[in-house]
Amino acid sequence: MELSREFSTETRIGQELTAHAPLTIVCDGCFSNLRRSLCNPKVEIPSCFVGLVLENCKLPYPNHGHVVVADPSPILFYPISGTEIRCLVDVPGQKVPSVSNGEMSHYLKNTVAPQIPPELHDAFISAIDKGGIRTMANRSMPASPHPTPGALLMGDAFNMRHPLTGGGMTVALSDIVLVRDLLRPLNNLNDASSLCDYLESFYTLRKPVASTINTLAGALYKVFSASPDPARNEMRQACFDYLSLGGVFSNGPIALLSGLNPRPVSLVLHFFAVAIYGVSRLILPLPSPKRLWTSARLISGASGIIFPIIKGEGVRQMFFPVMVPAYHRSPPVA
């Protein structure tokens, strides 16, 4: 059976373009206008990034990315050239102060600047005065595909996570390698129905890498964001101090973050190790009723952060992918 997939789009002048192919890989980004027919999009916007480029300054640790655990949420710095550093200020919610009427400059100078490392402070103020402030909504969307003959959805059109950890490209490149390996033994793409059944395995095989990075990004963002809840703030400090211990306590999370250790179980173990570390700081050497109550709230809060993210990713696909029938699909016979 031959079945080609047709996609139409319009140019800027309103001209409609139509293309036919036995297999179309759709990767038209976070603003995709094609995803609705290929998945069940549930896009959330937890925050926005405010971007600046700092010039002629040096990071506290050269050639490293920096995360400032600030109030109300994290600030990122990383080098983009020998003389320039990109700064991304996270602003919770879907609305940011206006750039045009000066509200943004006031916010950055009075709320953010006092929390900037001293080495970057003057360059940060200069970047604000120079202008060129850019804003971008941070989107999160679990992968929820509708397997469709003749089409395969990839990239931000298919799956997004908070960009705090910069994991989007890692997931995208991992998906590309996986699709390459799945398509390599095929000689004929024209049997769309059989090809669709076979490529359904892609959505399960990608889960270990994608779900680990997605869950870590969402969990870290919530942990590193300030909260009026003392238990959440204790979790925040415990996470920072846990990573500061070095050795396996930092190498393990970094391996998860980079996709080098795509094991969701390791992620859950490290996450609750942070929570237990926080509890131990509260109850040792001598617990009090208040500290015990905060400890209980810390564990409860940690569970409330990570379990909804895991549920959105899919428990069976994330932890037991071999139990999903699509995991074992074989290439169709040409």
Side-chain angles (χ1 to χ4, degrees):
M1 179 184 67
E2 293 191 5
L3 176 63
S4 68
R5 187 71 182 178
E6 174 184 312
F7 282 102
S8 299
T9 186
E10 288 190 1
T11 66
R12 292 183 179 179
I13 60 174
Q15 179 184 6
E16 184 175 286
L17 301 176
T18 302
H20 299 263
L23 176 64
T24 300
I25 296 178
V26 179
C27 45
D28 56 336
C30 64
F31 300 108
S32 173
N33 59 4
L34 300 173
R35 67 161 66 104
R36 290 192 177 278
S37 61
L38 301 173
C39 73
N40 180 26
K42 295 180 180 179
V43 181
E44 296 181 358
I45 302 178
S47 67
C48 298
F49 268 157
V50 177
L52 296 163
V53 175
L54 281 55
E55 298 177 335
N56 302 315
C57 59
K58 293 184 178 180
L59 289 163
Y61 295 90
N63 302 319
H64 285 70
H66 289 60
V67 179
V68 178
V69 184
D71 187 357
S73 51
I75 306 167
L76 306 183
F77 294 95
Y78 55 91
I80 56 174
S81 75
T83 59
E84 296 175 311
I85 294 169
R86 176 162 288 138
C87 170
L88 298 174
V89 179
D90 187 87
V91 179
Q94 299 185 20
K95 293 184 178 180
V96 297
S98 172
V99 175
S100 59
N101 66 11
E103 288 181 1
M104 180 63 76
S105 294
H106 182 270
Y107 174 80
L108 293 174
K109 288 182 177 180
N110 291 275
T111 301
V112 179
Q115 305 179 76
I116 298 295
E119 300 94 327
L120 304 174
H121 184 273
D122 291 345
F124 183 77
I125 297 298
S126 297
I128 297 171
D129 292 337
K130 185 178 180 180
I133 300 172
R134 299 288 184 267
T135 62
M136 176 192 76
N138 294 326
R139 291 171 170 81
S140 177
M141 185 184 77
S144 182
H146 299 319
T148 304
L152 188 69
L153 194 59
M154 292 181 66
D156 281 353
F158 172 47
N159 182 207
M160 293 180 282
R161 76 289 308 149
H162 195 283
L164 172 68
T165 59
M169 191 58 72
T170 305
V171 173
L173 292 174
S174 174
D175 285 354
I176 289 169
V177 171
L178 181 56
V179 169
R180 179 204 64 186
D181 293 342
L182 288 171
L183 294 179
R184 179 173 283 165
L186 303 183
N187 297 317
N188 183 1
L189 301 179
N190 287 313
D191 188 345
S193 179
S194 297
L195 181 63
C196 179
D197 288 342
Y198 170 59
L199 289 181
E200 192 176 347
S201 63
F202 163 72
Y203 300 120
T204 301
L205 293 171
R206 70 183 295 273
K207 273 296 181 179
V209 173
S211 62
T212 298
I213 293 176
N214 293 346
T215 304
L216 186 59
L220 277 182
Y221 177 70
K222 291 183 178 181
V223 168
F224 280 158
S225 296
S227 169
D229 183 355
R232 280 284 298 273
N233 286 328
E234 190 65 38
M235 181 72 176
R236 185 192 201 195
Q237 189 61 47
C239 185
F240 183 86
D241 292 343
Y242 181 89
L243 295 171
S244 300
L245 293 173
V248 67
F249 304 107
S250 61
N251 293 339
I254 292 300
L256 292 166
L257 191 69
S258 61
L260 296 175
N261 179 19
R263 295 182 177 88
V265 172
S266 295
L267 167 61
V268 173
L269 290 175
H270 274 288
F271 188 81
F272 280 102
V274 170
I276 293 170
Y277 178 67
V279 168
S280 69
R281 288 152 42 103
L282 284 168
I283 65 175
L284 297 177
L286 187 65
S288 66
K290 181 179 179 180
R291 285 174 172 264
L292 288 172
W293 174 241
T294 302
S295 298
R297 287 179 55 80
L298 192 156
I299 295 295
S300 174
S303 302
I305 287 173
I306 197 167
F307 287 145
I309 301 174
I310 291 174
K311 182 180 179 182
E313 291 291 326
V315 175
R316 187 169 66 149
Q317 295 90 334
M318 188 171 174
F319 293 99
F320 311 104
V322 295
M323 296 178 63
V324 179
Y327 184 90
H328 305 282
R329 298 279 162 85
S330 300
V333 178

